[in-house]
Amino acid sequence: MATGTEPPTTEPHPVGGGVRTGTRAAIDAPHLRTDRWWLAPAATAAGLLAFIVYSTWRAFADADYYAAPYVSPFYSPCLAERCEPMHAGPNWEIFGGWWGISPAIIILIFPLGFRLTCYYYRKAYYRGFWASPPACAVAEPHKKYSGETRFPLILQNIHRYFFYAALLVAGILTYDTVLAFRGGTDENYEWGHMGLGTLVFLTNIVLIWAYTLSCHSCRHIVGGKLKHFSRHPVRYRMWQWVGKLNNRHMLLAWASLVSVALADFYVYLVASGAFDDPRFF
């Protein structure tokens, strides 16, 4: 009995990959969307590409990352002997003197790994760069789909472990923000000073913590595997708080990405002498 959904027997199936294969309905149109569906993935790809270009330049620059009391979040903590000395700053010479390139490369792997394996960012760059899929209700152009079951995408499953590293990094950046309330060389590093950079660092660390704690892995760690929330009121309340942040995970992902780049750029302007940090007191 005909249902009206069978493909015509006189027409060949469309040739293509993904959902446009011989086992699918023979629809000539690649999709039925009439809106500008390509704008969202294009804007996402442009935004991520801009950050990649900027962060790569700053990571390999190996200069202008410290202007007392501010240290760039791209270079904190500094783990090599070749790091610029920072007064009471995160100078931990764990790697000794053999490290010959920018010390930012050592530490950036952890926040970078956290964001690369993040559930939202995976969706964003899969669609933006790989068109997998390009958008909702738009056929995937690839002939094969293996999900995240093969190398290198199977490494996405270690996202939880990068979350633990991200907590440590956020803690170090919090310490850097506290140091931003000290004066520079002119004030002999005394406490109780505040400049425009202090506000930049405060905004950045709030967004970094909000994004980190809004992570899906954090939500699962806090409230996962609980059969009775009534028996765990503290974890239930924490799970609710994390859930509210999780609802804004995409917004926090972008806001924190912009804020960490702006914090680094602010330090670069001050350290290079292009801009004097305005002091409030």
Side-chain angles (χ1 to χ4, degrees):
M1 179 177 176
T3 62
T5 60
E6 293 82 358
T9 57
T10 58
E11 297 182 7
H13 286 279
V15 178
V19 298
R20 294 181 57 75
T21 62
T23 59
R24 301 283 182 161
I27 301 175
D28 292 332
H31 57 81
L32 301 179
R33 293 184 62 168
T34 58
D35 62 320
R36 297 178 180 177
W37 57 265
W38 48 269
L39 282 177
T44 298
L48 293 176
L49 184 61
F51 180 82
I52 291 171
V53 172
Y54 173 80
S55 59
T56 301
W57 165 59
R58 287 294 294 140
F60 283 95
D62 194 17
D64 300 324
Y65 56 84
Y66 177 65
Y70 310 124
V71 54
S72 165
F74 287 1
Y75 287 81
S76 182
C78 218
L79 303 180
E81 287 184 2
R82 66 194 312 275
C83 294
E84 184 174 343
M86 297 179 284
H87 184 79
N91 280 105
W92 303 338
E93 300 174 356
I94 299 176
F95 278 69
W98 65 270
W99 187 264
I101 60 176
S102 172
I105 307 303
I106 305 174
I107 194 63
L108 281 181
I109 186 62
F110 299 107
L112 178 63
F114 179 59
R115 290 185 183 264
L116 278 177
T117 58
C118 165
Y119 293 120
Y120 166 70
Y121 279 115
R122 280 145 74 171
K123 166 191 168 183
Y125 65 78
Y126 284 179
R127 289 187 174 185
F129 292 110
W130 297 341
S132 180
C136 293
V138 178
E140 184 170 339
H142 307 286
K143 293 183 178 181
K144 295 182 179 180
Y145 175 76
S146 60
E148 296 175 336
T149 61
R150 298 179 181 177
F151 183 84
L153 296 185
I154 195 172
L155 297 178
Q156 304 283 29
N157 295 312
I158 64 176
H159 176 60
R160 169 174 290 195
Y161 302 102
F162 275 119
F163 167 72
Y164 297 139
L167 288 177
L168 179 60
V169 172
I172 295 171
L173 296 183
T174 302
Y175 174 74
D176 295 341
T177 303
V178 173
L179 290 181
F181 285 93
R182 302 185 73 167
T185 54
D186 295 338
E187 297 90 0
N188 294 321
Y189 305 105
E190 294 180 353
W191 291 99
H193 294 275
M194 182 176 181
L196 179 59
T198 310
L199 296 181
V200 173
F201 273 57
L202 279 172
T203 302
N204 179 57
I205 195 58
V206 168
L207 291 174
I208 289 292
W209 273 114
Y211 165 64
T212 304
L213 296 179
S214 70
C215 170
H216 294 76
S217 291
C218 179
R219 191 167 184 259
H220 179 73
I221 292 170
V222 170
K225 296 184 178 180
L226 291 182
K227 296 182 178 179
H228 305 283
F229 276 128
S230 59
R231 298 180 182 177
H232 306 273
V234 175
R235 291 185 63 182
Y236 177 57
R237 181 60 61 87
M238 294 174 62
W239 180 81
Q240 288 180 312
W241 291 340
V242 174
K244 291 179 180 179
L245 289 174
N246 184 258
N247 289 335
R248 295 170 174 80
H249 193 51
M250 180 182 73
L251 175 62
L252 294 172
W254 280 104
S256 60
L257 193 72
V258 172
S259 71
V260 73
L262 287 178
D264 171 80
F265 187 63
Y266 188 89
V267 175
Y268 165 74
L269 290 177
V270 177
S272 63
F275 180 77
D276 291 329
D277 179 46
R279 311 296 287 186
F280 300 134
F281 54 82

